[in-house]
Amino acid sequence: MVAFFPRTADRGLSCPMPRENPKLDVSSSPATPRQIPLDSPEAFLNRELSWLAFARRVLELAGDPELPLLERVKFLGIHAMLHDEFFMKRVGGLLQQVRRSGARRSPDGRTPHEELEACRAEVRSQLEVVSALMLRDIRPALREAGLAILDWEELDEAQQSALREDFEHTVLPILTPLAIDAEHPFPFISGQGLNLAIQFPTAGGRERVLRLKVPTNRSRWVAVPGPAGFVALEQVIAANLDLVVSGSDTFRHYFFSVTRAVEADPEIIDDEDEAEALLPGAIVRQVTRDLKARRFAGVSGLKVSSDMPVELQTWLARQLGLSIDDVYVTETFLGLSDLMSLRVPDAETLLLPPYEPVDHPRLRSDDAEPGSMFREIARGDILLHHPYHSYESSVVRFLQEAAEDPQVLALKITIYRTSRDSPIIRALAEAARRGKQVAVLVEITARFDEAPNIAWGQFLEREGVHVSYGVEKLKTHVKLALVVRDEGGKLHQYVHIGTGNYHEGTARIYEDLGLLTADAGLCRDVALLFNQLTGALKPRSYGKLIVAPQHMRTRFIELIRREAEHAREGRPSGIRAKMNQLQDQELIRELYEAGRAGVPVSLDVRGLCCIRPGVAGLSENIQVFSIVGRFLEHSRLYEFRNGGHPEYFIGSADWMKRNLDRRVESIAPVLDPKLCRELSAILDVFDTDNYSRWDCNPDGTYTRRRPTAGEARRDSHEIFLEMAAKQKAAPAKIRSARRRKD
């Protein structure tokens, strides 16, 4: 029987999670706290379980009855994608460590085997919740809304006949059944695909097994004739196996899917390739080899339908190099990430109300004229908050104007991820065609975007752009663009510093920050960094920009220790930091020390977080929370109160060891006092959220905040949308003030 989470009046569908580390006693009296050593396993939460805790928060949104139905369906798809990514990136490594029987322990004191067992248990717990949610809530609700995901047996004869005829013409010719027997070895099973294991008796009384892959170039959700809903493609195939396999009319079929690990690590080029890595084209060849190797990487997980016999589960696992412990049984559909592709026409009432990003009040699209954007930036720095501020009328326009403006002489940018039909790429190509000096650093080792990034780099090279492919042994993760403009015979520089990728598609669903500035010091630093990246030059010292791996770690440690000193001296102190992930042990220990010195530390960490908050004798002054809602929180923002003179920084880096030591990252100070107040207000909104905020407990579990009786709902994303809408009325006042100033 599947365990189902209870429904309560004030919390909707709750998603209980077992204590993350039952070895830690968090109940000691604050009056006499036991001092926990900062290098003790008790001081850290487990990285893998914290990743899964984020997946559980997403799953809780899928079970939230206050959300529109198709938004909940979307969160189920996102949850499945997170599980797939977890098995690809993390479980494969754990399996390798267990097989090597190494003595390494995680920072929280677990052996690889203990970590793997804890992850298996948590994944199974979440899959039980998913199955129950689909069977008892989501599918009944879809049926009631006239959008049912039906089983084949529920269709009437006419519907089955119509789908069978369609199957014969549009799917059957694609299918390739593969025999598995003494003469036919077990076939290669690609990762993330959906498969049928088909058993049927032969004339000699023996049983044969066939593997049949469900094609990915056909729609997973097949529309049923009439206003009935959808049926899964694998069920259509299974119901018509007599057209696939002749000679038998007795079939038993079961569904399964395989996840393969990302074994090749493109973040660091192998030592044997180090000399070659400096040669033109070598890094492209290396990444191409890694992509091919990834297709055949080891299996990290096997999911099967609940009706599959244990004997067949065991046999499949053994053929794939797994044990039965690596088999995950589900009561519902496999491959639920495909829910993201469920297209339902005319279903606006089942989604959140659409929104349209607004122009930044200083960057009105109806003000666009040659050079106008650069003149506006020269008047003062501009802070962008996406997706609330339009990406097209700010960042894309910045680059398009640079491409078209005859006074612009040079344009430099880093590309980590971008969209398929990117207007940014088109602008860069147009700039090169117009004779401008265009330099693009394409990071082709951006995981899962390697192939398109190679293609973009080759396209830009053909257009005359100077293309560099990253830095030896370091992944380039900075989000920077630089424009050089001739203004009356004098060169001026303009810079965009972002927290997100130059990807206008994700800019509509990712929350990110950006800074447009003509500050001479920052522009000089960004120009130096570009020269270092494209010229393979030795690292330089920078005046304002904080750059990893050169000195970002030491600078953040200095800033944290400065807050501790302010607290000891009785001056105002405090740290508020917003990031995607927090894992670096050294920075965690520094935060513990600052908290013990009396510094209030508030950490908004969307995903995994290894610091343990609110523990007597360790972290009484530290709180951790996570914002999960309509948009994906992606910005990195750091505030240090600094004795009453707060300083703010934005940029590309999380507080992860990889970001600080193995990537090129940049963090920039925000210097304009008005913009600093805007950043403080943004942090205030997150601090007071009582709807999309989950508070981290000392044991690593998370509790969602909900409005109390009579309390107004404060959803960060809704508040920022309202704030942006109010800005639409501001441009007239701004233009009037600008005319008076001019």
Side-chain angles (χ1 to χ4, degrees):
M1 186 60 138
V2 178
F4 189 56
F5 37 83
R7 187 186 298 271
T8 59
D10 61 333
R11 290 181 55 81
L13 289 166
S14 64
C15 213
M17 177 175 169
R19 287 169 65 91
E20 193 272 352
N21 189 346
K23 295 180 288 187
L24 175 66
D25 179 12
V26 295
S27 60
S28 56
S29 169
T32 56
R34 174 176 66 89
Q35 286 285 309
I36 297 175
L38 300 187
D39 58 354
S40 165
E42 295 176 89
F44 299 95
L45 296 173
N46 184 269
R47 171 181 175 150
E48 320 303 347
L49 293 179
S50 188
W51 177 315
L52 290 173
F54 172 58
R56 193 174 277 270
R57 295 195 288 281
V58 172
L59 180 55
E60 186 167 337
L61 287 176
D64 186 348
E66 296 182 21
L67 284 173
L69 178 58
L70 290 183
E71 299 291 342
R72 298 170 63 193
V73 171
K74 177 191 72 175
F75 281 117
L76 266 182
I78 294 172
H79 176 266
M81 292 171 62
L82 288 171
H83 269 207
D84 290 344
E85 186 179 4
F86 181 72
F87 274 85
M88 293 172 71
K89 290 185 175 181
R90 306 304 302 176
V91 174
L94 284 175
L95 284 168
Q96 287 184 355
Q97 293 167 29
V98 169
R99 289 162 186 162
R100 289 197 300 263
S101 301
R104 182 203 68 88
R105 288 182 177 268
S106 62
D108 69 318
R110 299 175 193 258
T111 66
H113 178 74
E114 289 172 336
E115 281 192 285
L116 184 58
E117 284 299 302
C119 290
R120 285 168 170 165
E122 176 58 18
V123 167
R124 288 193 171 91
S125 173
Q126 292 188 21
L127 289 178
E128 288 180 354
V129 173
V130 169
S131 294
L133 184 59
M134 277 292 289
L135 292 170
R136 306 183 189 181
D137 194 341
I138 297 296
R139 290 185 70 182
L142 286 170
R143 186 185 299 272
E144 185 177 343
L147 304 171
I149 298 179
L150 300 164
D151 293 318
W152 179 265
E153 294 76 13
E154 297 181 82
L155 307 184
D156 61 35
E157 186 175 344
Q159 291 169 331
Q160 291 182 353
S161 177
L163 290 179
R164 181 180 175 88
E165 181 178 356
D166 182 70
F167 167 78
E168 286 190 78
H169 292 94
T170 64
V171 178
L172 180 60
I174 304 173
L175 301 180
T176 305
L178 296 176
I180 308 173
D181 53 33
E183 297 179 358
H184 300 86
F186 193 84
F188 174 78
I189 309 292
S190 56
Q192 315 315 124
L194 189 57
N195 305 271
L196 278 75
I198 306 165
Q199 290 182 317
F200 61 94
T202 64
R206 299 180 60 186
E207 238 181 23
R208 294 193 62 189
V209 178
L210 291 179
R211 176 260 184 158
L212 189 63
K213 182 177 180 179
V214 177
T216 56
N217 54 4
R218 301 284 84 183
S219 175
R220 171 75 187 281
W221 310 107
V222 181
V224 175
F230 307 88
V231 63
L233 176 59
E234 65 269 22
Q235 290 198 17
V236 177
I237 295 173
N240 295 281
L241 283 176
D242 61 300
L243 298 176
V244 181
V245 185
S246 60
S248 176
D249 56 1
T250 305
F251 301 101
R252 295 191 305 280
H253 66 271
Y254 313 98
F255 304 118
F256 71 95
S257 66
V258 164
T259 307
R260 291 188 174 272
V262 182
E263 290 188 340
D265 186 357
E267 290 192 6
I268 302 177
I269 298 175
D270 295 335
D271 291 340
E272 63 190 41
D273 294 320
E274 182 174 334
E276 185 188 23
L278 298 176
L279 300 175
I283 191 169
V284 176
R285 292 193 296 273
Q286 171 67 29
V287 173
T288 302
R289 289 195 297 268
D290 287 346
L291 287 174
K292 185 175 181 180
R294 180 183 298 169
R295 290 182 55 229
F296 301 97
V299 176
S300 56
L302 171 63
K303 287 184 180 178
V304 303
S305 54
S306 59
D307 58 346
M308 181 180 288
V310 174
E311 295 80 6
L312 183 56
Q313 294 179 30
T314 304
W315 179 80
L316 273 176
R318 186 169 63 249
Q319 299 301 316
L320 293 164
L322 301 175
S323 74
I324 191 64
D325 293 329
D326 300 305
V327 178
Y328 300 86
V329 179
T330 178
E331 301 277 348
T332 188
F333 300 102
L334 300 174
L336 284 181
S337 58
D338 287 338
L339 287 173
M340 301 290 290
S341 66
L342 181 64
R343 296 290 178 260
V344 179
D346 304 321
E348 291 79 6
T349 59
L350 301 178
L351 294 164
L352 289 168
Y355 79 99
E356 191 62 33
V358 304
D359 294 339
H360 188 284
R362 289 177 56 195
L363 298 174
R364 295 280 292 181
S365 55
D366 55 9
D367 281 348
E369 58 184 56
S372 63
M373 190 167 196
F374 300 110
R375 289 192 292 273
E376 190 59 48
I377 297 171
R379 290 187 174 97
D381 292 356
I382 299 172
L383 181 69
L384 304 170
H385 194 192
H386 308 297
Y388 315 105
H389 290 142
S390 167
Y391 196 78
E392 285 74 11
S393 66
S394 56
V395 178
V396 174
R397 177 184 161 195
F398 175 69
L399 297 169
Q400 288 174 336
E401 282 201 17
E404 298 168 4
D405 188 341
Q407 292 179 251
V408 170
L409 305 179
L411 173 57
K412 303 181 181 184
I413 191 173
T414 59
I415 298 294
Y416 190 76
R417 303 187 198 279
T418 193
S419 59
R420 178 173 298 178
D421 184 26
S422 171
I424 291 174
I425 297 292
R426 293 199 300 270
L428 297 173
E430 179 63 23
R433 295 187 199 110
R434 296 189 181 213
K436 304 179 192 301
Q437 293 292 312
V438 183
V440 179
L441 194 142
V442 179
E443 183 46 75
I444 60 171
T445 63
R447 187 162 287 178
F448 307 126
D449 279 276
E450 298 94 338
N453 282 4
I454 290 174
W456 281 129
Q458 293 171 340
F459 165 76
L460 291 171
E461 285 181 322
R462 292 194 298 270
E463 294 295 328
V465 173
H466 300 293
V467 178
S468 298
Y469 293 104
V471 178
E472 182 186 2
K473 291 193 174 183
L474 296 174
K475 181 176 288 190
T476 304
H477 195 244
V478 294
K479 323 293 185 185
L480 298 172
L482 170 69
V483 172
V484 182
R485 194 168 186 262
D486 184 346
E487 298 175 2
K490 186 177 180 180
L491 299 186
H492 290 262
Q493 295 176 314
Y494 300 86
V495 162
H496 173 261
I497 299 167
T499 67
N501 302 308
Y502 289 104
H503 191 309
E504 77 285 350
T506 57
R508 295 185 67 89
I509 55 176
Y510 285 17
E511 181 272 345
D512 269 305
L513 294 166
L515 180 70
L516 290 166
T517 181
D519 178 83
L522 277 175
C523 290
R524 186 184 310 112
D525 283 351
V526 171
L528 286 172
L529 180 54
F530 269 111
N531 289 343
Q532 176 192 329
L533 294 174
T534 60
L537 303 176
K538 291 183 178 180
R540 296 284 302 268
S541 59
Y542 299 89
K544 295 180 178 180
L545 201 65
I546 306 173
V547 178
Q550 285 95 309
H551 61 278
M552 185 176 290
R553 175 183 292 280
T554 57
R555 182 60 178 143
F556 272 130
I557 289 174
E558 290 171 358
L559 291 168
I560 295 170
R561 289 179 177 177
R562 186 184 67 181
E563 293 305 308
E565 184 61 27
H566 284 312
R568 293 187 189 99
E569 296 298 323
R571 294 186 291 269
S573 66
I575 298 170
R576 289 195 292 179
K578 181 180 183 298
M579 67 199 81
N580 297 334
Q581 302 180 108
L582 169 57
Q583 163 269 334
D584 187 77
Q585 295 175 54
E586 185 177 16
L587 286 190
I588 288 175
R589 285 191 284 266
E590 293 291 340
L591 291 169
Y592 283 145
E593 291 280 21
R596 284 177 170 178
V599 178
V601 178
S602 178
L603 304 171
D604 177 357
V605 185
R606 182 200 75 209
L608 72 88
C609 180
C610 297
I611 196 169
R612 193 183 289 278
V615 177
L618 179 69
S619 54
E620 297 98 328
N621 288 325
I622 298 176
Q623 65 167 332
V624 173
F625 63 93
S626 172
I627 301 292
V628 185
R630 177 173 187 170
F631 304 117
L632 180 75
E633 293 297 320
H634 193 255
S635 64
R636 289 88 168 184
L637 167 59
Y638 302 95
E639 175 198 77
F640 299 91
R641 196 172 179 194
N642 188 30
H645 304 283
E647 292 184 346
Y648 295 85
F649 303 84
I650 67 170
S652 62
D654 293 322
W655 281 351
M656 300 279 285
K657 181 174 177 60
R658 69 183 186 196
N659 297 91
L660 301 173
D661 296 341
R662 299 199 306 274
R663 291 184 174 186
V664 181
E665 304 271 13
S666 64
I667 295 288
V670 177
L671 304 172
D672 187 307
K674 180 178 181 297
L675 302 191
C676 289
R677 290 192 293 273
E678 290 182 27
L679 291 173
S680 179
I682 289 172
L683 291 172
D684 290 342
V685 171
F686 291 125
D687 281 343
T688 58
D689 190 305
N690 64 4
Y691 183 78
S692 298
R693 169 171 168 156
W694 275 256
D695 291 307
C696 183
N697 302 311
D699 63 356
T701 62
Y702 282 76
T703 303
R704 186 179 181 183
R705 287 193 180 184
R706 303 307 292 265
T708 59
E711 183 182 20
R713 187 169 100 173
R714 296 187 299 274
D715 180 345
S716 300
H717 298 158
E718 291 179 357
I719 292 172
F720 289 130
L721 286 171
E722 292 169 1
M723 292 168 62
K726 291 178 181 178
Q727 287 185 338
K728 294 184 72 172
K733 297 179 181 179
I734 290 176
R735 287 196 295 269
S736 176
R738 186 188 303 161
R739 285 194 293 269
R740 289 196 300 271
K741 182 178 179 181
D742 292 344

